[in-house]
Amino acid sequence: MDYIIWVLVIHSAVVAYLLYRAYRRIAYLEFSQQHIEDLQRQISHLQRSLQDVALIAQQQLQTPRSQRSSQPVASSEGASPYNQAIELFKRGFSPADVAERCGISRSEAELILSLYRNSSTS
């Protein structure tokens, strides 16, 4: 009888240890999945930024050299999000895209677009 009790105790300890190891592995996998998702978001953001830079470079190459110095270059560093928004509207981006890329609300983007359209028609 004592032998059966010891076997059950050892069996319970082994099962508890295996469950603990499985729990730790699941926690590690969940952490890894979150890290992968964060990296994917960062990659998407970098791809969008790279596309913006490529568009700006393409526009600069298509602009005659004599006009380049007088035109402001849209840059993500140093320019306000509102100036960046106007540059993106000039390139045909939608208010939703502009809001996402500039870190402003969609309402702000729509207001900027409205003001920009009104000022360019005046």
Side-chain angles (χ1 to χ4, degrees):
M1 181 78 165
D2 286 335
Y3 174 76
I4 293 175
I5 292 175
W6 278 107
V7 168
L8 288 175
V9 168
I10 292 172
H11 183 266
S12 298
V14 169
V15 168
Y17 174 74
L18 292 174
L19 286 173
Y20 170 76
R21 295 268 314 205
Y23 169 77
R24 298 267 302 163
R25 184 161 291 180
I26 289 170
Y28 177 75
L29 291 174
E30 288 174 352
F31 171 77
S32 297
Q33 182 65 30
Q34 289 174 352
H35 187 65
I36 288 170
E37 290 169 2
D38 288 342
L39 290 173
Q40 287 172 334
R41 279 191 290 275
Q42 289 175 3
I43 288 170
S44 295
H45 177 73
L46 290 172
Q47 285 174 332
R48 286 191 305 268
S49 297
L50 184 59
Q51 288 171 349
D52 290 345
V53 169
L55 284 172
I56 292 168
Q58 185 178 16
Q59 286 177 347
Q60 287 295 313
L61 289 174
Q62 292 173 351
T63 304
R65 186 173 286 237
S66 61
Q67 294 177 357
R68 283 187 200 167
S69 61
S70 64
Q71 288 184 346
V73 177
S75 135
S76 57
E77 291 184 25
S80 77
Y82 306 113
N83 290 337
Q84 291 175 17
I86 291 171
E87 289 299 319
L88 292 174
F89 283 131
K90 287 180 183 177
R91 291 189 272 157
F93 284 83
S94 71
D97 290 336
V98 169
E100 181 180 328
R101 290 173 187 245
C102 295
I104 59 177
S105 70
R106 185 174 178 156
S107 301
E108 286 177 300
E110 290 171 352
L111 176 62
I112 292 167
L113 176 60
S114 175
L115 293 171
Y116 170 70
R117 285 183 180 160
N118 289 340
S119 69
S120 63
T121 57
S122 301

